[in-house]
Amino acid sequence: MEKTLVEEYRGGTLECVHSGHICGVSILGAVKYAVGDVESLTYLRSSGKPFQAIPVIRHGADRKFGLSDKETAIMIGSHRAETFHVEALESMLTKIGVGEEALVCHPTYPLSVPASEAMLRAQKPKRSIYHNCSGKHLGILALCKTMGYPTEGYFEPDHPAQIEIVDTLAYLSECPREHIHLGTDGCGFPVFAIPLKHLATAFMKLACPEVIEDLEFRAAVIRITALMNKHYEMIAGSDRICSSLLMDSNIVAKGGAKGVYCFGLKKEKLGFALKVMDGSEEEWPIITASILEQIGYSNQETIDRMYQLTPTDITNDNRKIIGMNKAVFTLETV
């Protein structure tokens, strides 16, 4: 049963309630913290991008095509097509040797409002590389060319690259492959649904690669998470929760559409996954801040950045305080 996570008040009156589930897993693989149902079946959406990038790194596709660290990092990102994102993506097209028409993701304008407005003012057309998933797609195309897989249909569930991605997720999440539900994501890729506790387990392993027995997988995870922290700006963009959390080298974090957010803590050896059931993302920072506060997280600067993204005070267009956000859940120790 889902539990209330955040309440929004306007003029002292409750206006909105955001319910959902939270699971925290220890390095032993056991559920340590719970709110709601830790078995809740959850689509990873873009929180799955670190796992989709693992085969690319395992097989050395980044090295084969001479991708820079920033270019490799954007394969894991949900970028906003800011200038520095587009520069990396255009360089990847050249290095990998594919045309933009090879991308299945639909042409669009940047998610960054300033970047999108600049494109419209300049009367520039929509492009596939502006799609926030284009880095992931270029990574898989690089994998295909490295492994000799066909680039045609690289997004189909029965393509060898996609089969390897599902196997990767099953291994790291400890969710049997036959229990992973498949759907189709907005960008055209397969998307996976697994119980929330398995998603938290997978993020625990991103933060604690020492528990990964397969040395190739471990090495790939170490490289991927190092790049996420080193080039946090490539994982999301300016004033986004993923980039703000990844500024903290102790945290590995990635969110996805429709309310799913995940992070792992290296020093504390924990993995967390949460799902806001109404699909809202605005509550992620305040929920994350509350989780960190409740477990006694030591880096106050990280918590403060979360409250800067979603302040407890709600302001109107004139910047007048007219209400409040309030995290109301309590982590239950299991």
Side-chain angles (χ1 to χ4, degrees):
M1 187 70 174
E2 63 193 66
K3 297 287 185 70
T4 300
L5 303 179
V6 176
E7 295 176 343
E8 294 183 32
Y9 291 85
R10 184 177 296 266
T13 299
L14 180 64
E15 183 177 37
C16 296
V17 174
H18 302 280
S19 300
H21 312 281
I22 301 173
C23 180
V25 170
S26 74
I27 195 171
L28 300 176
V31 175
K32 185 172 182 179
Y33 300 106
V35 178
D37 182 9
V38 300
E39 299 283 352
S40 178
L41 195 62
T42 304
Y43 273 114
L44 277 68
R45 304 299 297 268
S46 284
S47 69
K49 285 177 177 173
F51 311 103
Q52 290 166 314
I54 285 173
V56 184
I57 304 302
R58 280 188 65 221
H59 295 297
D62 56 324
R63 297 189 300 273
K64 175 180 173 64
F65 293 103
L67 300 183
S68 70
D69 284 355
K70 287 188 176 184
E71 291 162 359
T72 305
I74 205 170
M75 296 190 306
I76 310 153
S78 297
H79 65 79
R80 321 312 280 179
E82 297 177 75
T83 300
F84 54 92
H85 295 140
V86 175
E87 289 173 353
L89 294 162
E90 289 181 330
S91 175
M92 291 172 74
L93 285 170
T94 299
K95 290 180 178 179
I96 298 168
V98 295
E100 199 164 339
E101 69 281 356
L103 299 174
V104 70
C105 43
H106 197 70
T108 185
Y109 284 117
L111 286 179
S112 165
V113 173
S116 184
E117 289 176 344
M119 298 296 170
L120 292 169
R121 284 194 297 269
Q123 297 184 330
K124 292 185 177 181
K126 298 177 179 180
R127 295 181 63 182
S128 291
I129 62 167
Y130 296 160
H131 193 288
N132 72 320
C133 294
S134 60
K136 172 183 71 177
H137 286 252
L138 286 171
I140 299 305
L141 286 169
L143 172 65
C144 291
K145 295 188 75 172
T146 298
M147 301 301 293
Y149 300 154
T151 55
E152 297 79 13
Y154 72 95
F155 49 88
E156 297 290 354
D158 60 353
H159 188 279
Q162 297 297 339
I163 291 171
E164 187 167 353
I165 288 169
V166 178
D167 289 340
T168 298
L169 178 63
Y171 175 61
L172 291 177
S173 69
E174 300 181 17
C175 182
R177 196 185 196 286
E178 61 272 19
H179 294 167
I180 296 177
H181 297 248
L182 291 183
T184 304
D185 215 336
C187 67
F189 256 37
V191 64
F192 330 106
I194 60 178
L196 199 66
K197 69 177 184 181
H198 288 288
L199 184 48
T201 297
F203 269 81
M204 177 274 290
K205 291 183 181 179
L206 293 184
C208 307
E210 63 270 22
V211 303
I212 302 172
E213 294 184 0
D214 186 292
L215 296 183
E216 282 190 359
F217 276 94
R218 184 188 300 179
V221 166
I222 289 171
R223 174 157 169 74
I224 283 170
T225 56
L227 290 176
M228 292 173 73
N229 289 127
K230 181 181 179 182
H231 294 295
Y232 52 81
E233 76 282 1
M234 308 306 287
I235 307 305
S238 304
D239 299 321
R240 306 298 300 179
I241 181 174
C242 288
S243 294
S244 294
L245 279 174
L246 289 166
M247 291 178 187
D248 185 336
S249 61
N250 187 54
I251 295 180
V252 181
K254 187 71 187 73
K258 298 299 180 183
V260 60
Y261 203 82
C262 311
F263 60 94
L265 303 174
K266 300 175 186 178
K267 184 174 63 178
E268 293 76 10
K269 300 187 184 303
L270 293 169
F272 282 94
L274 66 92
K275 170 73 174 180
V276 182
M277 290 305 293
D278 62 11
S280 177
E281 300 177 11
E282 293 179 2
E283 292 69 40
W284 285 345
I286 198 168
I287 294 170
T288 301
S290 183
I291 291 171
L292 294 175
E293 288 174 331
Q294 290 187 50
I295 67 170
Y297 193 64
S298 61
N299 192 335
Q300 186 61 43
E301 290 182 5
T302 298
I303 296 172
D304 291 343
R305 284 199 299 273
M306 294 299 97
Y307 284 123
Q308 289 168 8
L309 293 174
T310 302
T312 52
D313 290 332
I314 297 175
T315 57
N316 67 2
D317 296 341
N318 297 318
R319 298 184 180 179
K320 178 182 178 181
I321 297 175
I322 49 82
M324 65 176 292
N325 292 306
K326 185 179 181 182
V328 296
F329 65 90
T330 300
L331 289 178
E332 298 176 9
T333 303
V334 177

